[in-house]
């Protein structure tokens, strides 16, 4: 797996992602009241900045300083820096004692031990009544599409097993075509050939 310095080098060389919010987040957040959010493995911050632009107070965590610097620039450009906070940390050891209405984690295609730990910490940070969203490239995407290697993709069963949520959650996990968000992309509709594993878990109120 790429180390933090390898990720940093990749980010230093060029912008890696589109700068646009992930469409699955747009759909999920559209059903929620705005509040506090944590973006786990936030990269260049497009999701966090979009959430902030919708009124959320957001923390983004990533171990790449280069990515976080780009995220902070994007937040400043979008005039939402006052609603964003960026934390440089390694998710294989990081924990937080804060709680959030929404915790989101997109495309953390790391080895099972790392992603599982990151997901469990993410779940622990969801408040009662709050939402956890985890999204990854499906293992059944066509191999011609660029994306993470097959050994770091995860299936519905793997995400459920590695996350290990208790009965205090309502969990839905599906593999589906990636929808574009009509308000974000020019061409609404499924992105050709793209398929994601999407887990949405709501922590039941006490
Ligand atoms: C594929 S990118 C996804 C970025 C963002 N979520 C998005 O959808 O654009 C994965 C991110 O996870 C970060 N990452 C990978 N392993 C990590 C770790 N152990 N601790 C912190 N961040 C990590 C990388 O630096 C990278 O920014």
């Amino acid at each position: 797996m790429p180390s933090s310095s390898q990720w940093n080098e990749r980010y230093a060389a060029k912008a890696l992602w589109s700068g646009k919010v992930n469409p699955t987040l747009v759909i999920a957040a559209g059903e929620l009241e705005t509040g506090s959010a944590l973006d786990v493995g936030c990269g260049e911050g497009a999701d966090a900045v979009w959430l902030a632009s919708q009124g959320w107070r957001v923390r983004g965590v990533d171990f790449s300083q280069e990515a976080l610097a780009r995220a902070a620039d994007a937040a400043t450009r979008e005039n939402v820096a006052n609603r964003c906070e960026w934390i440089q940390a390694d998710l294989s050891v990081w924990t937080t004692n804060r709680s959030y209405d929404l915790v989101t984690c997109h495309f953390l295609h790391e080895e099972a031990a790392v992603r599982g730990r990151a997901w469990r910490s993410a779940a622990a940070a969801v408040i009662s009544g709050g939402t956890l969203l985890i999204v990854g490239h499906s293992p059944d995407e066509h191999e011609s599409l660029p994306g993470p290697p097959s050994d770091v993709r995860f299936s519905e069963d793997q995400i459920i097993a590695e996350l290990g949520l208790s009965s205090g959650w309502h969990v839905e996990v599906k593999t589906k075509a990636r929808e574009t968000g009509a308000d974000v992309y020019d061409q609404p509709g499924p992105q050709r050939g793209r398929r994601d594993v999407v887990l949405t878990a709501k922590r039941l109120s006490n």
Side-chain angles (χ1 to χ4, degrees):
M1 283 306 91
S3 62
S4 62
S5 55
Q6 286 168 325
W7 269 110
N8 232 14
E9 281 167 24
R10 291 183 67 196
Y11 279 117
K14 61 176 176 136
L16 292 183
W17 317 118
S18 67
K20 293 178 177 171
V21 60
N22 283 303
T24 308
L25 176 63
V26 176
I27 294 164
E31 296 173 3
L32 305 174
E33 298 288 319
T34 57
S36 57
L38 174 68
D39 186 358
V40 174
C42 65
E44 292 161 336
D47 285 355
V49 168
W50 179 83
L51 282 167
S53 75
Q54 305 299 301
W56 293 78
R57 300 179 311 283
V58 193
R59 284 200 174 83
V61 187
D62 202 288
F63 61 11
S64 167
Q65 188 54 45
E66 292 284 344
L68 293 176
R70 204 165 282 146
D73 286 348
T76 301
R77 266 198 317 278
E78 297 299 321
N79 291 317
V80 294
N82 59 338
R83 286 204 287 280
C84 295
E85 189 181 329
W86 309 105
I87 300 167
Q88 185 182 11
D90 184 342
L91 294 166
S92 63
V93 292
W94 185 73
T95 50
T96 178
N97 53 13
R98 302 201 190 200
S99 305
Y100 301 84
D101 298 294
L102 170 65
V103 180
T104 176
C105 180
H106 270 73
F107 307 122
L108 189 67
H109 290 285
E110 298 297 318
E111 62 188 73
V114 172
R115 70 179 183 229
R117 191 186 183 290
W119 291 342
R120 290 188 292 277
S121 297
V126 175
I127 61 163
S128 175
T131 301
L132 173 67
L133 175 67
I134 299 176
V135 179
H137 292 271
S138 168
D140 71 4
E141 259 182 358
H142 195 274
E143 61 191 21
S144 65
L145 289 168
S150 57
D151 62 340
V152 290
R153 295 184 183 224
F154 42 85
S155 65
E156 296 176 21
D157 288 346
Q158 280 172 299
I159 192 170
I160 292 285
E162 291 169 24
L163 194 50
L165 292 177
S166 68
S167 57
W169 292 79
H170 176 75
V171 181
E172 276 184 14
V173 62
K174 289 183 182 158
T175 302
K176 45 190 177 187
R178 189 180 306 164
E179 293 291 326
T180 58
D183 53 339
V184 178
Y185 290 81
D186 299 333
Q187 292 275 312
Q191 287 181 25
R192 193 184 310 163
R194 281 289 178 204
R195 287 174 64 72
D196 292 327
V197 176
V198 178
L199 176 132
T200 312
K202 176 132 331 228
R203 190 193 278 274
L204 303 177
S205 302
N206 298 321

